[in-house]
Amino acid sequence: MKNIVIFASGSGSNAENIADYFKDSKTVKITAVFTNNANAGVISKMEKFGIPCVVFTKEDFKSREYFTIKLYQYRPDLIVLAGFLWLIPNYLVNAYPNKIINIHPALLPKFGGKGMYGMHVHEAVKAANETETGITIHYVNTKFDDGKIIFQAKTILTEQDTPETIAQKIHELEMNNFPVEIEQILSKVN
Ligand code: GAR
């Protein structure tokens, strides 16, 4: 059995989709969702799957000893950031080399970096008159949206697209691709 721990800050539609994808798996288990937001939608979404949610503070996250022990209780083989908005501290990147991945709602290296999340990304894509956008799954390092790219999928944009329709196209790409890619990545993790 391989274990996934998901980190999420928001509504949790990706976490829910991943949980649904693996719910009957004999080889992959989501052992916990970690969130920095006690009001995050992801918390209620995990109830039906019986997946425990761990809420943590900035202080908890800064404390190497506390957080390492807390996380290790869930034995992650892979840590999946699904709409998680804090930078991952050095000690965690070092403790889980090539075992932390993130999904970003644009074609990195474009439209990444601090402040580039959710609708901000789609608004920037629209403002730049891009003819395509997409999703990027990448390994996590200590900078925002900067690690080695594992997978990208694209969608075409027209002049009629708005930030809202772009968000919808990205959502579909995320739903269709993220769990499958996680399964692929996990099959190579030792
Ligand atoms: C997703 O679109 C994800 O790609 C994005 O946040 C959204 C979370 O939605 N992540 C970033 O922007 C990271 N820079 P969700 O909570 O419904 O899964």
Side-chain angles (χ1 to χ4, degrees):
M1 187 65 89
K2 296 240 174 88
N3 295 333
I4 295 173
V5 170
I6 297 175
F7 281 31
S9 303
S11 81
S13 65
N14 278 283
E16 183 177 37
N17 187 44
I18 296 163
D20 193 55
Y21 185 85
F22 289 112
K23 67 178 186 296
D24 298 322
S25 174
K26 303 270 184 286
T27 53
V28 177
K29 182 176 162 82
I30 296 155
T31 50
V33 169
F34 274 57
T35 182
N36 60 313
N37 177 3
N39 300 314
V42 71
I43 296 174
S44 61
K45 286 196 172 83
M46 289 304 107
E47 276 169 17
K48 60 179 173 291
F49 299 103
I51 296 173
C53 284
V54 177
V55 180
F56 62 95
T57 66
K58 200 134 223 169
E59 287 309 303
D60 297 338
F61 208 30
K62 276 187 196 157
S63 166
R64 175 187 183 144
E65 197 182 345
Y66 172 86
F67 198 81
T68 304
I69 291 169
K70 190 89 195 158
L71 183 58
Y72 191 66
Q73 288 173 19
Y74 299 95
R75 301 286 193 279
D77 294 294
L78 189 69
I79 297 168
V80 174
L81 311 189
F84 181 69
L85 300 183
W86 287 354
L87 214 48
I88 301 298
N90 247 316
Y91 73 81
L92 215 51
V93 173
N94 292 335
Y96 292 93
N98 284 342
K99 290 182 178 178
I100 310 177
I101 62 168
N102 178 46
I103 189 157
H104 186 77
L107 295 170
L108 291 175
K110 284 181 163 183
F111 306 105
K114 195 168 166 51
M116 276 293 174
Y117 61 88
M119 282 308 283
H120 299 292
V121 178
H122 311 314
E123 281 159 7
V125 166
K126 176 68 190 170
N129 290 317
E130 293 290 301
T131 54
E132 61 178 18
T133 188
I135 59 169
T136 303
I137 298 167
H138 65 94
Y139 289 112
V140 168
N141 62 19
T142 53
K143 295 183 198 151
F144 277 116
D145 307 322
D146 189 62
K148 184 170 172 258
I149 291 172
I150 305 166
F151 173 86
Q152 291 187 309
K154 293 179 182 177
T155 182
I156 300 295
L157 298 178
T158 68
E159 279 177 19
Q160 281 71 47
D161 273 304
T162 63
E164 288 72 26
T165 64
I166 295 172
Q168 187 53 41
K169 288 178 172 180
I170 292 299
H171 181 74
E172 276 171 33
L173 284 180
E174 293 188 335
M175 295 299 111
N176 292 336
N177 290 285
F178 201 16
V180 184
E181 286 307 311
I182 290 170
E183 195 168 38
Q184 286 284 323
I185 294 162
L186 209 45
S187 70
K188 293 174 203 148
V189 165
N190 46 35

